[in-house]
Amino acid sequence: MAGKTVVILGGGWGGLAAAHHLRSLLAPEHRIVVVERNATFTLCVSYLWLMTGDRSGLGAISRDMAALKREGIEWVHAEALAIDPDTRSVETSTGTLAADYIVIALGAQLAPDTVPGFEKAALNFYEPQGAIDLRHALENFEGGAVIVLVAGAPFRCPAAPYEAAMLIEGGLRARGVRDLTSVAMYTPEGQPMAVAGPAVGEALVEMLTDRDIAYHPLHSVTEIDPDARVIRFGDDAVPYDVVAGVPPHRAPPLLTAAGLTDATGYVPVHPQTLQILADPDTLEIAHERVYAIGDVASIRLLNSMLLPKAGVFAEGEAQVVAAAIAADIDGSPRPAGYKGDGFCYIEVGDGLAAYGSGDFYAYPGPRVRLEPPSLDYRKAKEEFEALLDTWFER
Ligand SMILES: Cc1cc2nc3c(=O)[nH]c(=O)nc-3n(C[C@H](O)[C@H](O)[C@H](O)COP(=O)(O)OP(=O)(O)OC[C@H]3O[C@@H](n4cnc5c(N)ncnc54)[C@H](O)[C@@H]3O)c2cc1C
């Protein structure tokens, strides 16, 4: 059998998981090519610890792409510029790649430029440098108004802004400036982690209330005015001293240009196979050998909401896609589809984290359980960092 080529677009959480699973399943004559524009992989989970100071700098949470561990994964250091899903060819900044299979794992891009004033005024803890800048701002904070602002939905890791609010509150308390500070959260969402259902949302609101963090759902920012030091929500203007911001997200524009996105703004995929869909209502497959996983994918759940954007889903989807491609190449029966199970740790400050887990494909909607905060769950969250040693040489 002639060797096949699998091109994986994006060497983030989903792309690297797919590449490593595939390499362990495929014979060496088959090529696995990862197209990634960044020379460094950085684990997003740890950004909150850059903010708190639990991780001192980028070195602790990043690895060079050149140190990818498993032999037989080719890293193309390039920008993917265009994709033709019919011919399965990808144009990159260093040349054109022909693929037998394509796995799109390009993630969601941050779009801070879409909110006037955001880039100038907000400390964006969804980027490592923004998280570090926020730490410095909080270290020197002597009191005033701290706002955690979610500037658009959907966004990566539905729990992260809530964790940020509680970690910030805990840090200010530990520094003895809490009495001089108000902490508030503004978000366009109707409730925290809405996809997990009302009980989880109410539990999170209670956690915020217990910490005297004011929660303002259904607030869509229209502008931040750094001169007047106010955040505008239409006619309402909210004064701030520090804005910890989550910018709006969007799919990489090359996917929209290729006609692969739908009204959700992302790439509709089959919930079990992760193949790209022609029609999310009928689940008609558009491209048999083109898959999308992780944040870039849009999976409609049985309650009509979308599967959240989180690394645990990207990784689970990567495993399913790797097994399906390997089976197709080997001529074996198609393996089991994706089941939509997921979990997350929700840091609440004071060294504690709650734990949410469940079946997101359940009918009539996700069945998610929330376990109360404990030291053990906070410790368990650090196990995500083991991914760095799974994928990279030291
Ligand atoms: C603060 C924070 C905390 C989080 N905490 C958690 C958590 O506790 N648990 C959890 O499960 N998830 C968490 N997440 C979410 C998680 O990081 C993402 O859901 C996950 O990284 C998605 O993986 P992905 O492969 O889809 O996208 P990404 O990991 O974003 O990877 C996409 C890759 O594609 C590359 N790329 C994009 N466009 C191009 C192009 N044109 N050419 C070449 N390369 C390109 C990018 O450089 C990037 O490396 C967190 C996120 C943040 C921001």
Side-chain angles (χ1 to χ4, degrees), residues 9-15 35-38 41 44-48 78-81 105-109 125-126 156-157 160 163 252 254 293-296 309-314 343-345 381 384:
L9 300 180
W13 194 330
V35 180
E36 169 58 51
R37 62 183 172 196
N38 289 339
F41 171 87
C44 294
V45 172
S46 311
Y47 292 178
L48 292 177
E79 172 101 20
L81 299 173
L106 291 170
Q109 286 187 352
F125 61 94
Y126 267 44
R156 275 184 278 169
C157 191
E163 296 180 271
L254 77 134
I293 60 171
D295 292 353
V296 83
K309 301 193 182 303
V312 292
F313 295 118
F343 66 92
C344 72
Y345 301 101
K381 191 180 177 197
F384 282 126

Side-chain angles (χ1 to χ4, degrees), residues 80 158 200 240 312 335:
V200 171
Y240 72 83
V312 292

Side-chain angles (χ1 to χ4, degrees), residues 1-39:
M1 185 197 345
K4 304 284 186 196
T5 300
V6 183
V7 171
I8 298 170
L9 300 180
W13 194 330
L16 290 182
H20 282 80
H21 286 298
L22 262 171
R23 195 63 285 167
S24 62
L25 295 172
L26 286 181
E29 69 263 26
H30 304 298
R31 290 178 66 202
I32 298 166
V33 180
V34 176
V35 180
E36 169 58 51
R37 62 183 172 196
N38 289 339

Side-chain angles (χ1 to χ4, degrees), residues 244-375:
V246 178
H249 289 41
R250 66 178 165 219
L254 77 134
L255 300 176
T256 309
L260 293 176
T261 54
D262 70 1
T264 65
Y266 293 88
V267 181
V269 296
H270 190 286
Q272 277 84 33
T273 69
L274 291 313
Q275 289 159 302
I276 293 180
L277 294 174
D279 182 346
D281 292 328
T282 63
L283 298 186
E284 182 197 341
I285 307 289
H287 306 284
E288 281 288 332
R289 293 182 184 177
V290 185
Y291 302 81
I293 60 171
D295 292 353
V296 83
S298 150
I299 298 181
R300 195 165 291 288
L301 304 174
L302 295 173
N303 64 355
S304 294
M305 294 174 126
L306 300 178
L307 187 71
K309 301 193 182 303
V312 292
F313 295 118
E315 195 172 339
E317 292 161 9
Q319 287 187 28
V320 166
V321 166
I325 293 174
D328 201 47
I329 289 175
D330 294 343
S332 327
R334 181 181 279 281
Y338 185 54
K339 291 196 167 57
D341 295 331
F343 66 92
C344 72
Y345 301 101
I346 305 164
E347 286 190 73
V348 301
D350 303 311
L352 303 170
Y355 177 71
S357 64
D359 172 5
F360 284 75
Y361 283 2
Y363 177 81
R367 260 195 296 275
V368 180
R369 242 180 94 81
L370 191 64
E371 304 288 344
S374 75
L375 289 169

Side-chain angles (χ1 to χ4, degrees), residues 130-220:
I132 292 168
D133 293 345
L134 182 53
R135 174 170 94 221
H136 294 318
L138 294 170
E139 273 167 1
N140 298 316
F141 197 63
E142 294 303 331
V146 177
I147 309 279
V148 177
L149 174 71
V150 177
F155 53 88
R156 275 184 278 169
C157 191
Y162 296 91
E163 296 180 271
M166 290 188 271
L167 288 168
I168 289 170
E169 192 278 335
L172 293 168
R173 197 160 18 88
R175 278 196 49 236
V177 290
R178 181 65 178 98
D179 289 348
L180 306 169
T181 308
S182 62
V183 184
M185 187 161 174
Y186 288 82
T187 175
E189 304 161 282
Q191 64 157 77
M193 297 172 67
V195 72
V200 171
E202 280 158 26
L204 262 122
V205 172
E206 201 177 313
M207 288 177 191
L208 296 175
T209 310
D210 287 349
R211 289 160 181 78
D212 195 21
I213 299 171
Y215 183 56
H216 302 278
L218 300 173
H219 275 67
S220 293

